[in-house]
Amino acid sequence: MEGDRIDHLTRRIAALETRNAVDEVHRLNVADRLTAIEDTLKWLVRLIIGGLLMAALTYAVQGGLARL
């Protein structure tokens, strides 16, 4: 009976260690993916702001400000 209990506890510990290892890998993957998404969003914002600035500059160069 004591041996069965030890075997049961050993299996539970092994299952917890395996689950913990899987969770750690999952957390690392999620962190990497979030970093990639943040980088993409950063460049998207830069492109949008750059486009708006270029549109304003083009408007000003074509005499848009003189019409006001």
Side-chain angles (χ1 to χ4, degrees), residues 30-51:
V30 168
D32 290 342
R33 291 168 67 186
L34 283 176
T35 301
I37 290 170
E38 288 172 349
D39 290 342
T40 301
L41 286 175
K42 178 173 47 177
W43 278 105
L44 183 62
V45 168
R46 287 177 182 174
L47 286 171
I48 290 171
I49 291 173

Side-chain angles (χ1 to χ4, degrees), residues 59 63-68:
Y59 180 75
L65 294 178
R67 294 181 199 158
L68 295 177

